[in-house]
Amino acid sequence: MAANWKMYKTRAQARAFVEGFLPRLTARDVDVVICPPFLAIETVVGLVGGHPVAVGAQDVYWEEEGAFTGEVSPAMLVEAGCHYVIVGHSERRQLFGETDAEVARKLRAALGHGLVPILCVGETLEEREGGRTEDVVGRQLELALADLPAPAGQVVVAYEPVWAIGTGRNAEPADAAGVADFIRGVLARYLGGERASRIRVLYGGSVKPANIGGFAARPEIDGALVGGASLDPASFAAIVAAFSEPGGA
Ligand code: 13P
């Protein structure tokens, strides 16, 4: 279960969140990741030590170092205590012009440094209405994953339909489960069935405590990537709890 805070929370606000969240986190059978803005990463890392919560970044650049003003390298994230990094979020693709080729480079750079990439894929409303969801998602996966070196490390895939992000309009759990199933088929083609079966496929897009149960009930969906509803400790804790098995607390 991953929280993507996007461009929300100063360090003081991040601290207040973690202090409110940890006492509410009772599930021990759910992997929890918080992805704060770069500047709050070390604050969160310093507070979650000893708790089953990992920290991720929201983006990374693929070069080791150099004259790339404003960018952050994988080694910098590792040193700051990150274990995960989101790559290819639709906001990066749409607002900052990130291409599939760039997403693929970021994914490889993250893996090369032992970071677990959370690869985001998803169609726009126009693509969905045109019946092109599988084409689009399949192409995004193919361009990111083709020719990955054999034991490339762990990858997480987040299916985030663009029309569901920040709109309050979530996908129907059955539809999201269908796309998650399709994603696993594509993963099997590129990475082999055994490896594909171990990859977590998340759903993201207007997830909240009131609708998470429908997603948690679908075996095709392993977790969620949560934006707005992850900004409040009680709300994110309730969402995490929905994916805990009975007896997992
Ligand atoms: P919302 O949960 O705010 O719709 O955002 C989803 C998202 O983009 C997570 O990466």
Side-chain angles (χ1 to χ4, degrees):
M1 304 298 286
N4 174 11
W5 285 354
K6 309 190 179 184
M7 200 177 73
Y8 288 96
K9 295 199 189 293
T10 62
R11 283 180 289 194
Q13 291 166 334
R15 168 178 291 277
F17 174 95
V18 177
E19 288 171 355
F21 176 68
L22 291 178
R24 292 179 163 92
L25 178 64
T26 49
R28 289 290 175 268
D29 59 338
V30 181
D31 290 329
V32 178
V33 185
I34 297 176
C35 303
F38 288 127
L39 284 173
I41 285 173
E42 286 201 279
T43 301
V44 176
V45 167
L47 291 168
V48 298
H51 296 270
V53 177
V55 179
Q58 299 174 16
D59 190 22
V60 66
Y61 198 58
W62 56 80
E63 296 287 354
E64 294 293 310
E65 61 182 3
F68 304 106
T69 301
E71 295 297 328
V72 174
S73 76
M76 293 171 187
L77 296 182
V78 170
E79 186 194 47
C82 287
H83 287 96
Y84 291 80
V85 59
I86 296 171
V87 295
H89 192 280
S90 66
E91 286 152 15
R92 300 240 32 108
R93 295 177 191 257
Q94 294 207 312
L95 303 174
F96 303 100
E98 209 166 285
T99 65
D100 284 314
E102 289 170 339
V103 172
R105 293 182 82 169
K106 291 181 174 192
L107 187 107
R108 279 160 183 71
L111 288 168
H113 286 264
L115 289 161
V116 179
I118 302 174
L119 170 66
C120 299
V121 296
E123 80 288 1
T124 63
L125 188 58
E126 194 190 342
E127 289 162 342
R128 183 180 191 83
E129 287 176 345
R132 305 210 313 276
T133 298
E134 292 194 354
D135 286 354
V136 170
V137 169
R139 192 205 64 228
Q140 289 171 336
L141 286 171
E142 180 184 322
L143 292 172
L145 298 175
D147 307 323
L148 267 194
Q154 205 188 330
V155 177
V156 175
V157 176
Y159 169 55
E160 296 209 311
V162 177
W163 49 271
I165 294 177
T167 58
R169 181 181 164 200
N170 58 282
E172 286 303 318
D175 287 348
V179 180
D181 195 46
F182 167 77
I183 287 172
R184 207 173 294 285
V186 177
L187 293 173
R189 208 156 64 235
Y190 284 98
L191 304 174
E194 207 273 321
R195 198 163 154 214
S197 69
R198 283 184 283 115
I199 292 179
R200 270 86 175 268
V201 180
L202 315 182
Y203 166 76
S206 297
V207 164
K208 35 188 183 282
N211 63 23
I212 190 66
F215 297 102
R218 305 298 311 213
E220 300 89 341
I221 299 173
D222 301 313
L225 179 56
V226 188
S230 76
L231 296 171
D232 173 73
S235 153
F236 188 52
I239 290 169
V240 169
F243 268 84
S244 178
E245 298 291 336

